[in-house]
């Protein structure tokens, strides 16, 4: 139900993410196997990998944004490939296990310099 239900019934996340610091919405969508279409802005590039987990367009370029939407809507194979890669990225690179390992590494550097 809720957000998970919407994501499960979707094919792509379309979210401009204008100057977002990180972009948790992208990670939620990617975890559900959805590619994201977003603007290259703020910290979005840390989450959406252009051509790998989604499509990034230049900040403020509405025409390029619309074209990216059209292309993913029309190309199911690319959309599915990006979605599969997005899920792998979300789980393997930004999931709880890798985040915990990174935090543990950082804390050990502080406690045992």
């Amino acid at each position: 139900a809720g957000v998970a239900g919407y994501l499960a019934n979707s094919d792509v996340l379309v979210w401009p993410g204008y100057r977002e610091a990180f972009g948790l919405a992208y990670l939620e969508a990617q975890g559900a196997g959805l590619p994201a279409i977003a603007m290259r802005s703020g910290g979005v590039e840390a989450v959406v990998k252009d051509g790998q987990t989604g499509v990034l367009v230049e900040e403020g370029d509405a025409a390029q944004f619309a074209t990216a939407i059209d292309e993913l809507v029309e190309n199911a194979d690319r959309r599915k490939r990006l979605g599969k890669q997005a899920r792998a990225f979300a789980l393997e690179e930004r999931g709880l296990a890798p985040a915990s390992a990174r935090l543990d590494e950082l804390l050990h550097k502080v406690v045992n310099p």
Side-chain angles (χ1 to χ4, degrees):
V3 172
Y6 287 117
L7 294 175
N9 290 302
S10 299
D11 293 317
V12 64
L13 175 72
V14 177
W15 187 258
Y18 185 71
R19 298 193 181 171
E20 289 194 30
F22 184 67
L24 189 56
Y26 301 113
L27 283 177
E28 288 178 306
Q30 290 173 341
L34 301 179
I37 299 173
M39 289 186 185
R40 185 174 274 122
S41 175
V44 174
E45 288 180 275
V47 182
V48 179
K49 302 299 179 187
D50 190 31
Q52 297 173 29
T53 67
V55 178
L56 289 174
V57 301
E58 295 308 313
E59 184 178 307
D61 192 333
Q64 189 183 24
F65 198 78
T67 297
I69 295 168
D70 287 343
E71 288 175 357
L72 277 191
V73 167
E74 296 296 324
N75 190 334
D77 290 339
R78 182 171 186 232
R79 189 174 63 242
K80 289 175 186 175
R81 178 179 49 79
L82 291 175
K84 184 176 180 180
Q85 292 172 181
R87 181 165 170 73
F89 172 79
L91 297 176
E92 296 167 14
E93 301 290 329
R94 297 295 192 266
L96 185 56
S100 296
R102 179 70 176 134
L103 179 59
D104 184 61
E105 176 186 327
L106 293 171
L107 289 174
H108 276 88
K109 286 181 181 179
V110 171
V111 175
N112 301 314

